[in-house]
Amino acid sequence: MRVGLIQLCSSDDPVANLSETRRAIRSAARGAAEVILTPEVTNCVSASRARQNEVLRTEAEDMTLATLRDEAKTLGVTILIGSLALKEEGEDRFVNRSFLIDPEGNVTAKYDKIHMFDVQISETETYRESAGYKPGSKAVVAEAAGELIGMTICYDVRFPQLYRDLAHAGARILTVPSAFSPETGAAHWQTLLCARAIENGCFVLAPAQSGAHTASVGRRRRSYGHSLAIDPWGRVLSDGGEAAGVTLIDLDMPLVDDVRRRLPSLTHDRTYERP
């Protein structure tokens, strides 16, 4: 399977972001990618609730989703939109939702980010994702190009039981689209992704936001970048660095079976009493 990881530096302007995303998707398709993945909050990166209320739409109204459904059908590819920030009818918080789109342009799976990034990295860098976003409550495994993938988003990567459950449900590829902070990215990004791959004998695909995000309102966020593809043995297959762009990777899917045969830890789980 050939996949394309798209690395973006999205702004708080969904129209401009969509233009860049379409250009990258078409580049990946020209490179023969069957499955193309975009990062978290593909449509809008903003630290301003006011700006988000101004530009975000519901799922039914979102132009990024509608356009990328058309692109998938036109190009004959599967697209995983890492996530879109969306309004939700009857809710005062947004949702952070990933979409899987088949080559006919149909949405075949959706996943709402479960774990909220509520942290204080330093005295000057604090995030309270749960103040603006409603967390999801359902893990999702879906088929893409004949393989089962487990859908997650960014901060989820710090909760290994989610990935274990996805692997036990049949996932052979784990997706972790992200907008990781630079400080935690430099310290933990690759280590966490490699651990999730090794623990579960899965490929891990992690398209990322990168760089300083243009903001018309509020503070300017930064993201770590370094979109990664990791094999089931924990080897890094590609690193997208810090620039926006497209990385193409060929996944040797039989390697999943080989690794799980040699190291069958998925069959060794045991129940135990918690302390």
Side-chain angles (χ1 to χ4, degrees):
M1 176 191 295
R2 173 164 284 195
V3 301
L5 298 186
I6 293 176
Q7 186 157 289
L8 298 173
C9 183
S10 296
S11 69
D12 63 359
D13 180 353
V15 175
N17 295 334
L18 178 55
S19 178
E20 292 300 316
T21 303
R22 289 178 71 190
R23 185 177 298 113
I25 286 173
R26 290 174 180 180
S27 174
R30 287 195 300 272
E34 302 169 67
V35 180
I36 302 170
L37 301 88
T38 73
E40 184 180 21
V41 285
T42 289
N43 61 333
C44 179
V45 175
S46 175
S48 167
R49 186 73 178 271
R51 177 62 175 172
Q52 290 172 315
N53 271 314
E54 177 186 354
V55 301
L56 297 185
R57 300 290 182 263
T58 64
E59 179 180 324
E61 300 168 329
D62 186 76
M63 64 179 176
T64 302
L65 177 59
T67 301
L68 296 189
R69 289 182 64 183
D70 289 342
E71 288 291 302
K73 186 174 183 179
T74 298
L75 299 170
V77 298
T78 297
I79 297 176
L80 178 94
I81 304 176
S83 81
L84 299 175
L86 299 169
K87 290 181 177 178
E88 186 92 322
E89 295 287 355
E91 293 287 342
D92 61 357
R93 290 184 292 176
F94 309 117
V95 292
N96 192 347
R97 181 169 294 161
S98 185
F99 293 87
L100 185 64
I101 305 168
D102 72 12
E104 296 299 318
N106 301 308
V107 174
T108 58
K110 308 174 191 179
Y111 166 73
D112 287 0
K113 185 177 182 180
I114 292 173
H115 300 98
M116 297 288 98
F117 192 49
D118 291 353
V119 302
Q120 183 170 344
I121 303 300
S122 66
E123 291 184 3
T124 59
E125 188 177 4
T126 300
Y127 300 89
R128 292 290 180 267
E129 189 174 23
S130 64
Y133 288 88
K134 176 186 173 183
S137 59
K138 182 180 180 181
V140 175
V141 172
E143 184 177 332
E147 293 290 345
L148 290 180
I149 68 167
M151 299 167 66
T152 73
I153 300 172
C154 201
Y155 189 54
D156 284 333
V157 76
R158 294 184 182 272
F159 300 87
Q161 188 57 48
L162 171 60
Y163 295 83
R164 197 66 166 183
D165 291 340
L166 294 170
H168 277 303
R172 293 157 59 83
I173 298 170
L174 303 169
T175 58
V176 195
S178 298
F180 238 67
S181 78
E183 185 170 348
T184 60
H188 302 149
W189 173 243
Q190 181 172 318
T191 300
L192 287 168
L193 293 170
C194 286
R196 300 297 85 85
I198 294 166
E199 290 163 351
N200 300 296
C202 288
F203 282 98
V204 170
L205 302 177
Q209 294 280 357
S210 185
H213 303 281
T214 301
S216 58
V217 180
R219 67 180 177 87
R220 194 176 188 185
R221 284 188 53 183
R222 297 187 65 90
S223 295
Y224 179 64
H226 295 277
S227 299
L228 294 178
I230 299 165
D231 80 5
W233 199 247
R235 294 170 292 213
V236 175
L237 302 177
S238 68
D239 183 331
E242 297 180 358
V246 177
T247 304
L248 299 173
I249 311 103
D250 291 314
L251 305 185
D252 177 17
M253 294 309 303
L255 183 60
V256 173
D257 299 315
D258 180 58
V259 168
R260 290 179 176 182
R261 176 185 56 78
R262 289 188 287 154
L263 210 166
S265 63
L266 282 175
T267 67
H268 295 160
D269 290 276
R270 293 180 58 83
T271 59
Y272 52 86
E273 294 184 13
R274 294 189 175 185

